[in-house]
Amino acid sequence: EMLYNGVRHDSAARGGHAMPQLARRGMSIAAISAVDIALWDILGKSLGVPVWRLLGGRKLDRMPAYASGGWAAADAIGEQLKSYIAKGGFKALKMRVGAMDGAAHISAGRVRAARQALGPDVELMVDAHGTYTVAEAKRFIHLVNDLDLAWFEEPIIADDKPGMAEVRASGAVPIATGESEATRYAFRDLAVLKAADIFQPDPAFCGGISEAMKIGTIASAFNLRFAPHLWAGAPCFFAGLHVCAASPSSFTVEYSLGANPMIHDLVEETVEARDGMIAIPEKPGLGFTISERFLEAHAQRG
């Protein structure tokens, strides 16, 4: 709160409401996020307890996870997604759609091929990275309406919250969004506008663990669900595990199956899914150890 309000933090503390400066989003919040995540880790280590205990406890010792990837063309997407199941026993998978394909019907064809390959019992999500227009997103929903999608992620640009609400109202596919949003205020607006079914804050961008927990509370208050975006690297991923463990509205954890050394090589621990589940860390703090060898190999030298 002090960092967010900047030089006005004393006035904000006395007044009981936020008084942020200019540049309160973007890199400023990302920097605050890093400090916040680090401080929770330090506090947990100093007390000898995992962060989830500091957040009020955990509801599960293992969380369901979904495999996040899916870039292949229609003739190969089924095999690519099946390979994810083989790697971790996942029962839920996410694939990419949107501008990478061009027209909406091409993406819809890839999704149809994926569903045919996977059958009806595997949950399938799609992610457009905010690259459709409202009209294109609505057309895509119409084309995939019979494929029982678990969610449609970031259908349009995050800045157009009324447009997101229009997309959500156009069909029965749940809308997930939030990786491009910072602070609880943005998620409050999504909730009030009825623009999303699933909140996806990124702990490394939204304001850290502290802010992610507040966003989870908003999700719970509006009877929405909570599935943080966990692609940014190991500190973000582990922060997300603790937040999910302590949040009533959480229900799944994103597990990157793209090339992501910042998750898998940055830490000494092996982050793996078994039977589609990921264990919540038991060690003090966030529960990971940075690989000094990795840092040494990739440190920028002047």
Side-chain angles (χ1 to χ4, degrees):
E1 289 297 309
M2 184 178 74
L3 288 171
Y4 184 61
N5 289 300
V7 297
R8 301 191 186 113
H9 69 87
D10 283 333
S11 298
R14 287 192 299 270
H17 63 92
M19 300 180 189
Q21 296 175 273
L22 297 175
R24 66 192 187 279
R25 298 290 191 270
M27 293 303 293
S28 297
I29 298 299
I32 292 172
S33 301
V35 173
D36 182 84
I37 290 170
L39 289 174
W40 279 105
D41 187 41
I42 291 167
L43 180 59
K45 284 184 168 69
S46 71
L47 297 174
V49 298
V51 168
W52 55 259
R53 191 173 297 281
L54 302 175
L55 297 174
R58 64 181 180 185
K59 62 183 183 180
L60 297 167
D61 59 6
R62 297 192 307 157
M63 286 288 298
Y66 69 92
S68 184
W71 292 271
D75 60 354
I77 189 65
E79 288 306 310
Q80 185 179 60
L81 294 178
K82 283 182 178 179
S83 74
Y84 298 168
I85 297 174
K87 287 177 182 176
F90 296 98
K91 301 173 180 63
L93 310 169
K94 186 168 78 180
M95 62 179 286
R96 270 58 187 176
V97 297
M100 60 172 280
D101 293 325
H105 74 269
I106 299 175
S107 284
R110 291 178 56 246
V111 178
R112 190 166 298 278
R115 175 55 80 198
Q116 289 172 349
L118 296 171
D121 298 326
V122 175
E123 285 202 315
L124 181 60
M125 304 88 151
V126 298
D127 183 356
H129 294 292
T131 58
Y132 281 135
T133 65
V134 170
E136 288 168 337
K138 290 162 68 174
R139 175 164 172 73
F140 175 81
I141 287 176
H142 174 74
L143 292 169
V144 299
N145 225 20
D146 61 331
L147 299 180
D148 192 27
L149 295 182
W151 75 57
F152 183 11
E153 182 171 332
E154 283 205 306
I156 65 168
I157 184 172
D159 290 340
D160 185 7
K161 292 179 178 62
M164 196 82 72
E166 184 179 342
V167 172
R168 180 176 181 248
S170 72
V173 180
I175 300 300
T177 193
E179 71 178 72
S180 300
E181 302 287 4
T183 79
R184 59 193 179 273
Y185 306 110
F187 287 87
R188 173 205 59 197
D189 292 346
L190 286 169
V192 170
L193 289 169
K194 301 185 184 301
D197 299 278
I198 299 153
F199 283 176
Q200 296 180 300
D202 188 312
F205 184 74
C206 74
I209 290 171
S210 299
E211 199 71 6
M213 289 298 295
K214 295 180 178 76
I215 292 164
T217 299
I218 294 172
S220 179
F222 281 83
N223 200 28
L224 305 173
R225 294 198 293 172
F226 184 65
H229 177 255
L230 302 178
W231 196 273
C236 172
F237 180 81
F238 277 81
L241 291 183
H242 289 268
V243 168
C244 285
S247 297
S249 296
S250 69
F251 68 107
T252 189
V253 171
E254 181 173 26
Y255 185 86
S256 166
L257 276 172
N260 202 332
M262 292 298 289
I263 290 180
H264 299 293
D265 300 336
L266 180 62
V267 296
E268 297 287 355
E269 291 76 12
T270 300
V271 180
E272 62 181 350
R274 295 181 180 177
D275 299 322
M277 308 285 284
I278 292 181
I280 304 302
E282 297 274 2
K283 295 198 301 185
L286 290 174
F288 67 85
T289 307
I290 291 288
S291 169
E292 296 295 336
R293 295 187 308 275
F294 184 87
L295 290 185
E296 182 67 22
H298 295 87
Q300 183 176 0
R301 306 194 184 281

